[in-house]
Amino acid sequence: MNYILNKTDFRRAKLLVVFCLLAGLVSAQMPENGIPAPTNNNANQCPCIMPDNSVVFQVKAPNAQKVQIDLRKKYDMEKGADGVWSVRTEPIEPGFHYYFLVIDDVPVADPASQSFYGTGKMTSAIDIPEKGVGFYEIKDVPHGALSSKYYYSEYTKSWRHLFVYTPPGYDKNTREKYPVVYIQHGGGEDETGWAVQGKTDIILDNLIAEGKAKPMIVVISNGNVRAPGGAFGGYSSQGMAPFKEEMTKNIVPFIDVNYRTLTDAKNRAICGLSMGGGQSFYVGLESPEFFGSVGVFSSGLFGGIRTSGTGFDAEKEIPGLLSESEKFNKNLDLFYISCGEQDMRIEHTKKAVKTMRENGLDVEFNSFPGDHEWQVWRKSLHDFASRVFQ
């Protein structure tokens, strides 16, 4: 969802947000059988998740003329006598969903919920728990550390930011070296995506504690890289070249110098979601001297975003990928692809995987219930991390 505000709309939006904050969030009674969403700023207020996974939203805006919730689908809210607007949605799929509060046609962040960078701007979101799925919940297990780091990029001539996950015991086992996964976010996101929405550290903590994944370092970098003086590239080797330069010439060396890493390709992997999946596909497959494992989650590279007259041609994109598949099989310990089962990319992805396999390329494929959203990507990371470096 993209919104462009002129100056008048922007001032109006700011006033509306300030109004909502000053008016106070809703103090209405919690709906019977409802539970507060884990993404709420106040656990005693709505948004409230109902037993059927419908959601009750409330906001106090007595002077507003129209209030809606935009949750990919717009829901009109009804105004009560106390100035509180309310709506109950239809059942929502479990997982993480961005949304906007729309007051008199101006979309703003809902002060009742936490905001996340994920639609090219700070956006409200609601995280609906999935019953029986606890791999991304904090548990009583040894915990690693997620550190915020800055490094200087000789390519962009600027300071850039990334996060580094180090596994439990990293600071005690000072002689041990670790394999590294470099994981990339999608379009409209940045390095906070996998650190916050993706719950990378919690997923790895639980997998390692269960003995389902090797202790590893995970690097979460900002994939928004443009050539000096140029624009961001597209889904092609040339378009991904700036990111490849940044990853191989700046990020990997920075990590190898500052952390106890195993520096051979066999112990280095790259993966990512959507745009980051495309980056991983090109950079990982074109750089066997750097990466021995590649993961592609929900990428539009294979199709499903826009109509293409020729479709995806794996041999054209990565010369030799089909005609010399044995060479790639030898270089790759793991080539992993995943997609959501309700994602418009799913059939295109399955077709691409089928063609690769028919040409002898070893591909591990998995799909998960869900659309183009974080619950699918959390499961993709969980699956990929349990397979890599084994």
Coordinates of all heavy atoms in Angstrom, one line a residue, residues 253-315:
P253 N 33.9 -9.1 4.8 CA 35.2 -8.8 5.5 C 35.1 -8.2 6.9 O 35.8 -8.5 7.8 CB 35.9 -7.8 4.5 CG 35.3 -8.2 3.2 CD 33.8 -8.5 3.5
F254 N 34.1 -7.3 7.0 CA 33.9 -6.7 8.3 C 33.5 -7.8 9.4 O 34.1 -7.7 10.5 CB 32.8 -5.7 8.3 CG 32.3 -5.1 9.6 CD1 33.1 -4.1 10.2 CD2 31.2 -5.6 10.3 CE1 32.7 -3.6 11.5 CE2 30.8 -5.1 11.5 CZ 31.6 -4.1 12.1
I255 N 32.7 -8.7 9.0 CA 32.3 -9.7 10.0 C 33.5 -10.7 10.3 O 33.7 -11.0 11.4 CB 31.1 -10.5 9.4 CG1 29.8 -9.6 9.3 CG2 30.8 -11.7 10.3 CD1 29.4 -9.0 10.6
D256 N 34.2 -11.0 9.2 CA 35.3 -12.0 9.4 C 36.4 -11.3 10.3 O 37.1 -12.1 11.0 CB 35.9 -12.4 8.1 CG 35.0 -13.4 7.4 OD1 34.1 -14.0 8.1 OD2 35.2 -13.7 6.2
V257 N 36.6 -10.0 10.2 CA 37.6 -9.4 11.0 C 37.2 -9.2 12.5 O 38.0 -9.3 13.4 CB 37.9 -8.0 10.4 CG1 38.7 -7.1 11.4 CG2 38.7 -8.1 9.1
N258 N 35.9 -9.0 12.7 CA 35.4 -8.6 14.0 C 34.7 -9.8 14.8 O 34.4 -9.6 16.0 CB 34.4 -7.5 13.9 CG 35.1 -6.2 13.6 OD1 35.7 -5.5 14.4 ND2 35.0 -5.8 12.3
Y259 N 34.5 -10.9 14.1 CA 33.9 -12.0 14.8 C 34.7 -13.3 14.5 O 35.4 -13.4 13.5 CB 32.4 -12.2 14.4 CG 31.6 -11.1 14.8 CD1 31.4 -9.9 14.1 CD2 30.9 -11.2 16.0 CE1 30.7 -8.9 14.6 CE2 30.1 -10.2 16.5 CZ 30.0 -9.0 15.8 OH 29.2 -8.0 16.2
R260 N 34.5 -14.3 15.4 CA 35.2 -15.6 15.2 C 34.4 -16.4 14.3 O 33.5 -17.2 14.6 CB 35.4 -16.3 16.6 CG 36.2 -15.5 17.6 CD 36.6 -16.3 18.8 NE 35.5 -17.0 19.4 CZ 34.6 -16.5 20.2 NH1 34.8 -15.2 20.6 NH2 33.6 -17.2 20.7
T261 N 34.8 -16.3 13.0 CA 34.0 -17.0 11.9 C 34.8 -18.1 11.3 O 36.1 -18.0 11.2 CB 33.6 -16.0 10.9 OG1 34.7 -15.4 10.2 CG2 32.7 -14.9 11.4
L262 N 34.2 -19.1 10.7 CA 34.8 -20.0 9.8 C 34.6 -19.4 8.4 O 33.5 -19.1 8.0 CB 34.0 -21.4 9.9 CG 34.1 -22.1 11.2 CD1 33.1 -23.2 11.3 CD2 35.5 -22.6 11.5
T263 N 35.8 -19.2 7.8 CA 35.8 -18.3 6.6 C 35.7 -19.0 5.3 O 35.8 -18.3 4.3 CB 37.0 -17.4 6.7 OG1 38.2 -18.2 6.7 CG2 37.0 -16.5 7.9
D264 N 35.6 -20.3 5.3 CA 35.4 -21.0 4.0 C 34.0 -20.9 3.5 O 33.1 -20.8 4.3 CB 36.0 -22.4 4.1 CG 35.2 -23.2 5.1 OD1 35.0 -22.7 6.2 OD2 34.8 -24.4 4.9
A265 N 33.8 -21.1 2.2 CA 32.4 -21.0 1.7 C 31.5 -22.1 2.2 O 30.3 -21.8 2.4 CB 32.5 -21.2 0.1
K266 N 32.0 -23.2 2.6 CA 31.2 -24.3 3.2 C 30.5 -23.8 4.4 O 29.4 -24.3 4.8 CB 32.0 -25.5 3.4 CG 31.3 -26.7 3.9 CD 32.2 -27.9 4.0 CE 31.4 -29.2 4.5 NZ 30.5 -29.7 3.5
N267 N 31.1 -22.9 5.1 CA 30.6 -22.4 6.4 C 30.0 -21.0 6.3 O 29.9 -20.3 7.3 CB 31.7 -22.5 7.5 CG 31.9 -23.9 7.9 OD1 31.1 -24.5 8.6 ND2 33.1 -24.4 7.6
R268 N 29.6 -20.7 5.1 CA 29.0 -19.4 4.9 C 27.8 -19.5 4.0 O 27.8 -20.2 3.0 CB 30.0 -18.4 4.3 CG 29.6 -16.9 4.4 CD 30.6 -16.1 3.6 NE 31.9 -15.9 4.3 CZ 33.1 -16.1 3.8 NH1 33.1 -16.4 2.5 NH2 34.2 -15.9 4.5
A269 N 26.6 -18.9 4.4 CA 25.4 -19.1 3.7 C 24.7 -17.7 3.5 O 25.0 -16.8 4.3 CB 24.4 -20.0 4.4
I270 N 23.9 -17.5 2.5 CA 23.2 -16.3 2.3 C 21.7 -16.7 2.0 O 21.5 -17.7 1.2 CB 23.8 -15.5 1.1 CG1 23.0 -14.1 1.0 CG2 23.8 -16.2 -0.2 CD1 23.7 -13.1 0.1
C271 N 20.8 -16.0 2.6 CA 19.3 -16.2 2.3 C 18.6 -14.9 2.5 O 19.1 -13.9 3.0 CB 18.8 -17.3 3.3 SG 18.8 -16.9 5.0
G272 N 17.3 -14.9 2.1 CA 16.5 -13.7 2.2 C 15.1 -13.9 1.7 O 14.8 -14.9 1.1
L273 N 14.3 -12.9 2.0 CA 12.9 -13.0 1.7 C 12.6 -12.0 0.5 O 13.2 -10.9 0.5 CB 12.0 -12.7 2.9 CG 12.0 -11.3 3.4 CD1 10.9 -10.4 2.8 CD2 11.8 -11.3 4.9
S274 N 11.7 -12.3 -0.4 CA 11.3 -11.4 -1.5 C 12.5 -10.8 -2.2 O 13.3 -11.5 -2.8 CB 10.3 -10.4 -0.9 OG 9.6 -9.8 -1.9
M275 N 12.6 -9.5 -2.1 CA 13.8 -8.8 -2.7 C 15.1 -9.4 -2.2 O 16.0 -9.7 -3.0 CB 13.8 -7.3 -2.4 CG 15.0 -6.6 -3.0 SD 15.1 -4.8 -2.5 CE 15.8 -5.0 -0.9
G276 N 15.2 -9.7 -0.9 CA 16.3 -10.3 -0.4 C 16.6 -11.8 -0.9 O 17.7 -12.2 -0.9
G277 N 15.5 -12.4 -1.3 CA 15.6 -13.7 -1.9 C 16.2 -13.6 -3.3 O 17.1 -14.5 -3.7
G278 N 15.8 -12.6 -4.0 CA 16.5 -12.3 -5.3 C 17.9 -12.0 -5.1 O 18.8 -12.5 -5.9
Q279 N 18.3 -11.2 -4.1 CA 19.7 -10.9 -3.9 C 20.5 -12.1 -3.6 O 21.6 -12.3 -4.0 CB 19.8 -9.9 -2.7 CG 19.2 -8.5 -3.1 CD 19.2 -7.5 -1.9 OE1 19.0 -8.0 -0.8 NE2 19.3 -6.3 -2.1
S280 N 19.9 -13.0 -2.7 CA 20.6 -14.2 -2.4 C 20.8 -15.1 -3.6 O 21.8 -15.8 -3.7 CB 19.8 -14.9 -1.3 OG 19.6 -14.1 -0.1
F281 N 19.8 -15.2 -4.4 CA 19.9 -16.0 -5.6 C 21.0 -15.6 -6.5 O 21.9 -16.4 -6.9 CB 18.5 -15.9 -6.4 CG 18.5 -16.7 -7.7 CD1 18.2 -18.0 -7.7 CD2 18.9 -16.1 -8.9 CE1 18.1 -18.7 -8.9 CE2 18.8 -16.8 -10.1 CZ 18.5 -18.1 -10.1
Y282 N 21.1 -14.3 -6.8 CA 22.2 -13.9 -7.7 C 23.5 -13.9 -7.0 O 24.5 -14.5 -7.5 CB 21.9 -12.5 -8.2 CG 20.8 -12.4 -9.3 CD1 19.5 -12.0 -9.0 CD2 21.0 -12.9 -10.6 CE1 18.5 -12.0 -9.9 CE2 20.0 -12.9 -11.5 CZ 18.8 -12.4 -11.2 OH 17.8 -12.4 -12.2
V283 N 23.6 -13.3 -5.9 CA 24.9 -13.1 -5.2 C 25.4 -14.5 -4.7 O 26.6 -14.8 -4.9 CB 24.8 -12.1 -4.0 CG1 26.1 -12.1 -3.3 CG2 24.4 -10.8 -4.5
G284 N 24.5 -15.3 -4.2 CA 24.9 -16.6 -3.7 C 25.4 -17.5 -4.8 O 26.5 -18.1 -4.7
L285 N 24.6 -17.6 -5.9 CA 25.0 -18.5 -7.0 C 26.1 -18.0 -7.8 O 26.8 -18.8 -8.5 CB 23.7 -18.8 -7.9 CG 22.6 -19.5 -7.2 CD1 21.4 -19.7 -8.1 CD2 23.0 -20.8 -6.5
E286 N 26.3 -16.7 -7.9 CA 27.4 -16.1 -8.7 C 28.7 -16.1 -7.9 O 29.8 -15.7 -8.4 CB 27.0 -14.7 -9.1 CG 26.0 -14.7 -10.2 CD 25.6 -13.3 -10.6 OE1 26.0 -12.3 -9.9 OE2 24.9 -13.1 -11.6
S287 N 28.7 -16.4 -6.6 CA 29.9 -16.2 -5.7 C 30.1 -17.5 -4.9 O 30.1 -17.5 -3.7 CB 29.7 -15.0 -4.8 OG 29.3 -13.9 -5.4
P288 N 30.4 -18.6 -5.6 CA 30.6 -19.9 -4.9 C 31.9 -19.8 -4.0 O 32.0 -20.6 -3.1 CB 30.8 -20.9 -6.1 CG 31.3 -20.1 -7.2 CD 30.6 -18.7 -7.1
E289 N 32.8 -18.9 -4.3 CA 34.0 -18.8 -3.4 C 33.6 -18.1 -2.1 O 34.4 -18.2 -1.1 CB 35.0 -17.9 -4.1 CG 34.7 -16.4 -4.2 CD 33.9 -16.0 -5.4 OE1 33.2 -16.9 -5.9 OE2 33.9 -14.8 -5.8
F290 N 32.4 -17.5 -2.0 CA 32.0 -16.9 -0.7 C 30.9 -17.8 0.0 O 30.9 -17.9 1.2 CB 31.4 -15.5 -1.0 CG 32.4 -14.4 -1.2 CD1 32.9 -14.1 -2.4 CD2 32.8 -13.7 -0.1 CE1 33.9 -13.1 -2.5 CE2 33.8 -12.7 -0.2 CZ 34.3 -12.4 -1.4
F291 N 29.9 -18.3 -0.8 CA 28.8 -18.9 -0.2 C 28.6 -20.4 -0.7 O 28.5 -20.6 -1.9 CB 27.5 -18.1 -0.5 CG 27.6 -16.7 0.0 CD1 27.8 -15.7 -1.0 CD2 27.5 -16.4 1.3 CE1 27.9 -14.3 -0.5 CE2 27.5 -15.0 1.7 CZ 27.8 -14.0 0.8
G292 N 28.4 -21.3 0.3 CA 28.2 -22.7 0.0 C 26.8 -23.1 0.2 O 26.4 -24.2 -0.2
S293 N 25.9 -22.2 0.7 CA 24.5 -22.5 0.8 C 23.7 -21.2 0.5 O 24.1 -20.1 0.8 CB 24.2 -22.9 2.2 OG 24.8 -24.2 2.5
V294 N 22.6 -21.4 -0.2 CA 21.7 -20.3 -0.6 C 20.3 -20.6 -0.3 O 19.8 -21.7 -0.6 CB 21.9 -20.1 -2.2 CG1 20.9 -19.0 -2.6 CG2 23.3 -19.7 -2.5
G295 N 19.6 -19.6 0.2 CA 18.1 -19.7 0.5 C 17.3 -18.6 -0.1 O 17.7 -17.4 0.0
V296 N 16.3 -19.0 -0.8 CA 15.4 -18.0 -1.5 C 14.0 -18.1 -1.0 O 13.3 -19.2 -1.3 CB 15.5 -18.2 -3.0 CG1 14.6 -17.2 -3.8 CG2 16.9 -18.2 -3.5
F297 N 13.5 -17.2 -0.2 CA 12.2 -17.2 0.3 C 11.2 -16.3 -0.4 O 11.5 -15.1 -0.5 CB 12.2 -16.8 1.8 CG 13.2 -17.4 2.7 CD1 13.6 -16.8 3.8 CD2 13.8 -18.6 2.4 CE1 14.6 -17.3 4.7 CE2 14.8 -19.2 3.2 CZ 15.2 -18.5 4.3
S298 N 10.1 -16.8 -1.0 CA 9.1 -16.0 -1.6 C 9.5 -14.9 -2.6 O 9.1 -13.8 -2.5 CB 8.3 -15.3 -0.4 OG 7.8 -16.2 0.5
S299 N 10.4 -15.3 -3.4 CA 11.0 -14.3 -4.4 C 10.1 -14.2 -5.6 O 9.6 -15.1 -6.1 CB 12.4 -14.7 -4.8 OG 12.9 -13.8 -5.8
G300 N 9.9 -12.9 -6.0 CA 9.2 -12.6 -7.3 C 10.1 -12.8 -8.5 O 9.6 -12.7 -9.6
L301 N 11.3 -13.2 -8.3 CA 12.3 -13.5 -9.4 C 11.7 -14.5 -10.3 O 11.8 -14.4 -11.6 CB 13.6 -14.0 -8.8 CG 14.6 -14.6 -9.7 CD1 15.2 -13.5 -10.6 CD2 15.7 -15.3 -9.0
F302 N 11.0 -15.5 -9.8 CA 10.5 -16.6 -10.7 C 9.2 -16.2 -11.4 O 8.7 -16.9 -12.3 CB 10.3 -17.9 -9.8 CG 11.5 -18.3 -9.0 CD1 11.4 -18.4 -7.6 CD2 12.7 -18.5 -9.6 CE1 12.5 -18.7 -6.9 CE2 13.8 -18.9 -8.9 CZ 13.7 -19.0 -7.5
G303 N 8.5 -15.1 -10.9 CA 7.3 -14.7 -11.5 C 6.2 -14.5 -10.4 O 6.4 -14.8 -9.3
G304 N 5.1 -13.9 -10.9 CA 4.0 -13.7 -9.9 C 3.8 -12.3 -9.6 O 2.8 -11.9 -8.9
I305 N 4.8 -11.4 -9.9 CA 4.6 -10.0 -9.6 C 4.1 -9.2 -10.8 O 3.1 -8.5 -10.7 CB 5.9 -9.4 -9.2 CG1 6.4 -10.0 -7.9 CG2 5.8 -7.9 -8.9 CD1 7.8 -9.5 -7.4
R306 N 4.7 -9.5 -11.9 CA 4.3 -8.8 -13.2 C 4.3 -9.8 -14.3 O 5.0 -10.8 -14.3 CB 5.2 -7.6 -13.5 CG 6.6 -8.0 -13.6 CD 7.5 -6.7 -13.9 NE 7.5 -5.8 -12.7 CZ 8.3 -6.0 -11.7 NH1 9.2 -7.0 -11.7 NH2 8.3 -5.1 -10.7
T307 N 3.5 -9.6 -15.3 CA 3.5 -10.5 -16.5 C 4.8 -10.3 -17.3 O 5.2 -9.2 -17.6 CB 2.3 -10.2 -17.4 OG1 1.1 -10.3 -16.6 CG2 2.3 -11.1 -18.5
S308 N 5.4 -11.4 -17.6 CA 6.6 -11.4 -18.5 C 6.4 -12.2 -19.7 O 5.8 -13.3 -19.7 CB 7.8 -11.9 -17.7 OG 8.9 -12.1 -18.5
G309 N 6.8 -11.7 -20.8 CA 6.6 -12.4 -22.1 C 7.3 -13.6 -22.2 O 6.9 -14.6 -22.8
T310 N 8.5 -13.7 -21.6 CA 9.4 -14.9 -21.7 C 9.4 -15.7 -20.5 O 9.7 -16.9 -20.5 CB 10.8 -14.4 -22.0 OG1 11.3 -13.5 -21.0 CG2 10.9 -13.7 -23.4
G311 N 9.0 -15.1 -19.3 CA 9.1 -15.9 -18.1 C 10.5 -16.0 -17.6 O 11.4 -15.5 -18.1
F312 N 10.6 -16.8 -16.5 CA 11.9 -16.9 -15.8 C 12.7 -18.0 -16.6 O 12.3 -19.1 -16.8 CB 11.7 -17.4 -14.4 CG 13.0 -17.7 -13.7 CD1 13.8 -16.7 -13.3 CD2 13.3 -19.0 -13.4 CE1 15.0 -17.0 -12.6 CE2 14.4 -19.4 -12.7 CZ 15.3 -18.3 -12.3
D313 N 13.9 -17.6 -16.9 CA 14.9 -18.5 -17.6 C 16.1 -18.7 -16.7 O 17.0 -17.8 -16.7 CB 15.3 -17.9 -18.9 CG 16.1 -18.9 -19.8 OD1 16.8 -19.7 -19.2 OD2 16.2 -18.7 -21.0
A314 N 16.2 -19.8 -16.0 CA 17.3 -20.0 -15.0 C 18.6 -20.0 -15.7 O 19.6 -19.4 -15.1 CB 17.1 -21.3 -14.2
E315 N 18.7 -20.6 -16.9 CA 20.0 -20.7 -17.6 C 20.5 -19.3 -18.0 O 21.7 -19.0 -18.0 CB 19.9 -21.6 -18.8 CG 21.1 -21.8 -19.6 CD 22.2 -22.6 -18.8 OE1 21.8 -23.3 -17.8 OE2 23.3 -22.7 -19.3

